[in-house]
Amino acid sequence: MPRGLSMHIGINEIDETKYGTKGELKNPENDAQTMEGLAKAGNFTPIATLLTKDATSDRVAAGLREAASQLSAGDILLLTYAGHGAQVPDKNGDEPDRCDETWVLYDRQFIDDELHALFATFAEGVRILMLSDSCHSGSVARDISFSLSSPELERTFDTNEPDQVRARVRVLPQDAQFRNYQREQETYDEIQHSLPPLDQQDVKADVLLISGCQDNQTSSDGVGPNGLFTETLLKTWKNGAFEGSYSTLHRRVTEAMPFYQTPNLFQSGRSTKEFLGQSPFSI
């Protein structure tokens, strides 16, 4: 019988000594704990739930290595992230926009090259379902040209949804990204130089990402207990009463979201139609 493991990351604030800001958010820890509950209800075994100060680069990497050591063909990992998204300059030439996308962990940014290198340690035939409720996360992510404060975007909120306008968005401000990269440039550059470019990484697992927004959008931190994407996904899931596939779930969530935040569905690794067509959160 296939085995299911889960790992959940939720970061309400980051290390001010490393980033120059606490980057405070309201709901990521709630998102992680809620998704842990969903995983347990579906008979997944949580191997780590990393909240704020515990969500360090070493612990995230260790959790993924532990999952890779335990899972074999046919098994599944549910990986969820809630927090800021950001970018660092691309140093190994694998990004068309010359920027590598990151998760903003408590101690430092976790570069997409690192994430995919860890995915490459999973056995062939393992399924990895990743939910990323973070800004610019369409493919975790390619472009961060929009922010909620941009005049063009503010005009589109002209607005019958004032609460959503006031909600924080999950993107590390550009000035904080710049300061953090200046302070930690040697670390970030060495990470990229030490890893193969994305197009040379042989990921044999079947990776399916459902993200909170498109690459050029921001994800709202929400006005309730969860981020807007996580809240909408949970309402659509209806405690397991939802019927359909991952592609259907993505479509229904997208239909329920406001026009300015469109969840993305993205496959990588050994992409299969079978995984896409399975009942969501099933082992």
Side-chain angles (χ1 to χ4, degrees):
M1 180 177 179
R3 184 180 187 188
L5 299 179
S6 73
M7 179 174 168
H8 312 281
I9 305 163
I11 304 172
N12 279 11
E13 65 177 56
I14 51 182
D15 187 346
E16 189 172 13
T17 66
K18 298 294 184 66
Y19 292 98
T21 177
K22 289 185 177 181
E24 293 172 305
L25 294 170
K26 176 183 177 184
N27 296 319
E29 287 192 359
N30 291 339
D31 291 347
Q33 292 168 324
T34 300
M35 294 310 299
E36 180 189 36
L38 184 153
K40 288 180 177 178
N43 295 317
F44 288 78
T45 300
I47 59 170
T49 298
L50 303 174
L51 305 179
T52 304
K53 291 184 178 181
D54 289 332
T56 64
S57 54
D58 285 346
R59 290 185 176 182
V60 168
L64 289 171
R65 291 191 190 100
E66 178 64 22
S69 74
Q70 295 189 34
L71 298 178
S72 56
D75 294 339
I76 184 169
L77 172 68
L78 170 59
L79 172 62
T80 71
Y81 173 78
H84 286 301
Q87 291 180 317
V88 296
D90 172 30
K91 294 295 183 175
N92 58 11
D94 62 357
E95 298 282 357
D97 62 359
R98 300 175 66 186
C99 291
D100 270 274
E101 290 70 47
T102 67
W103 282 346
V104 182
L105 301 184
Y106 183 77
D107 59 331
R108 68 166 175 84
Q109 297 181 62
F110 203 71
I111 302 171
D112 59 0
D113 291 3
E114 295 179 86
L115 187 60
H116 283 267
L118 287 162
F119 287 165
T121 67
F122 284 77
E124 185 171 1
V126 172
R127 294 163 291 153
I128 300 175
L129 172 63
M130 181 166 61
L131 304 177
S132 188
D133 195 345
S134 56
C135 287
H136 314 295
S137 54
S139 53
V140 190
R142 298 293 179 186
D143 175 20
I144 62 170
S145 57
F146 275 162
S147 69
L148 189 60
S149 62
S150 69
E152 179 180 359
L153 192 54
E154 283 181 344
R155 285 196 297 271
T156 69
F157 285 100
D158 179 49
T159 153
N160 296 317
E161 299 178 280
D163 287 341
Q164 298 296 352
V165 177
R166 290 197 296 270
R168 291 185 178 94
V169 291
R170 295 179 173 183
V171 60
L172 188 66
Q174 291 275 1
D175 59 340
Q177 291 184 53
F178 178 73
R179 289 195 303 271
N180 178 250
Y181 181 73
Q182 279 190 316
R183 186 180 295 113
E184 306 291 340
Q185 180 176 355
E186 184 175 346
T187 297
Y188 293 135
D189 290 358
E190 176 57 30
I191 288 169
Q192 294 181 70
H193 289 315
S194 69
L195 295 172
L198 290 177
D199 59 359
Q200 295 179 24
Q201 294 189 21
D202 187 15
V203 178
K204 296 182 175 67
D206 192 350
V207 183
L208 175 61
L209 164 70
I210 303 178
S211 63
C213 63
Q214 298 292 312
D215 288 341
N216 64 345
Q217 295 177 334
T218 54
S219 283
S220 170
D221 198 34
V223 294
N226 295 109
L228 180 59
F229 166 68
T230 300
E231 176 186 350
T232 306
L233 183 146
L234 292 169
K235 287 180 178 178
T236 305
W237 178 238
K238 297 179 181 177
N239 290 320
F242 172 84
E243 295 182 0
S245 64
Y246 283 112
S247 57
T248 306
L249 177 66
H250 167 256
R251 184 171 66 252
R252 297 281 174 77
V253 171
T254 299
E255 290 169 351
M257 293 284 283
F259 70 93
Y260 51 80
Q261 186 176 332
T262 306
N264 195 36
L265 185 149
F266 182 82
Q267 275 191 287
S268 60
R270 299 293 195 269
S271 304
T272 65
K273 292 181 180 179
E274 288 77 15
F275 189 16
L276 193 61
Q278 288 174 359
S279 177
F281 308 116
S282 61
I283 296 177

